[in-house]
C-alpha cells in the first residue's frame, strides 16, 4: 500500500502542508501514523479526495467532453500577425497553447488574466515514477 506524508500529499494536491493538516484535523481527509509517528495518508484515500476536489472546482465539465481542465494565470502572451503563443501557469504546471491571434484578441488574453487550459488529447503518455530513496510516496509491507 502506498502512503504519503503530509508534505508529499500537499505537493500532489497543489496546496500547502498546513492546508492538508487542516483538512486532516477537520476530518475531511483521513490520515494515520507511520512507525515514526508521522502523519501519513493512504494513496487510495488521497486519490479519492483529489477526485472529489477536482469535481468541486470543475463547474463546466458538463458543458464539454474534455475533462482535463487546468485553471491558472496567463504569464506570457506572444503575438504575431497570424498566430499567438499563450503560457498559463496552473499550479506547478506550465501550459503552452498555440492559437490564432484573433482568438487571443477575442478572449482578451493578457498577462495576469485568469484562464482555464482545456486539454483533449487522443494520446496521453503516462510514466510511473520510481521514487529515489522513497521520497515520493511510501510503500508499506
Amino acid at each position: 500500500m502506498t502512503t504519503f506524508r503530509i508534505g508529499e500529499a500537499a505537493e500532489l494536491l497543489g496546496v500547502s502542508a498546513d492546508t492538508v493538516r487542516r483538512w486532516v484535523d477537520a476530518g475531511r481527509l483521513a490520515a494515520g501514523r507511520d512507525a515514526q509517528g508521522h502523519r501519513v495518508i493512504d494513496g487510495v484515500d488521497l486519490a479519492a479526495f483529489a477526485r472529489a476536489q477536482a469535481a468541486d472546482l470543475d463547474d463546466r465539465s458538463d458543458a464539454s467532453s474534455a475533462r482535463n481542465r487546468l485553471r491558472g494565470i496567463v504569464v506570457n502572451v506572444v503575438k504575431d500577425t497570424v498566430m499567438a503563443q499563450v503560457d498559463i501557469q496552473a499550479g506547478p504546471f506550465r501550459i503552452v497553447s498555440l492559437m490564432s491571434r484573433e482568438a487571443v484578441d477575442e478572449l482578451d488574453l493578457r498577462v495576469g488574466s485568469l484562464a482555464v487550459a482545456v486539454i483533449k488529447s487522443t494520446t496521453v503518455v503516462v510514466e510511473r515514477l520510481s521514487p529515489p530513496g522513497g521520497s515520493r510516496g511510501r510503500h508499506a509491507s
Side-chain angles (χ1 to χ4, degrees), residues 11-107:
E11 181 180 343
L12 291 168
L13 295 171
V15 298
S16 71
D18 286 338
T19 296
V20 173
R21 282 188 198 93
R22 283 193 294 276
W23 287 338
V24 169
D25 292 344
R28 291 183 59 197
L29 181 59
R33 300 264 179 194
D34 66 10
Q36 292 77 35
H38 298 283
R39 287 199 270 193
V40 292
I41 300 165
D42 177 74
V44 172
D45 292 338
L46 184 60
F49 184 81
R51 272 192 308 273
Q53 289 291 104
D56 289 347
L57 294 175
D58 195 4
D59 58 350
R60 296 221 22 206
S61 66
D62 60 344
S64 172
S65 64
R67 296 293 182 253
N68 303 305
R69 303 174 60 83
L70 301 171
R71 184 173 186 249
I73 188 168
V74 175
V75 294
N76 194 34
V77 177
V78 178
K79 299 189 276 188
D80 67 17
T81 56
V82 177
M83 296 298 294
Q85 175 181 321
V86 177
D87 296 12
I88 298 171
Q89 193 68 39
F93 306 106
R94 177 177 168 243
I95 311 299
V96 178
S97 178
L98 300 176
M99 64 185 80
S100 69
R101 179 190 178 112
E102 180 181 11
V104 170
D105 292 341
E106 285 178 6
L107 293 170

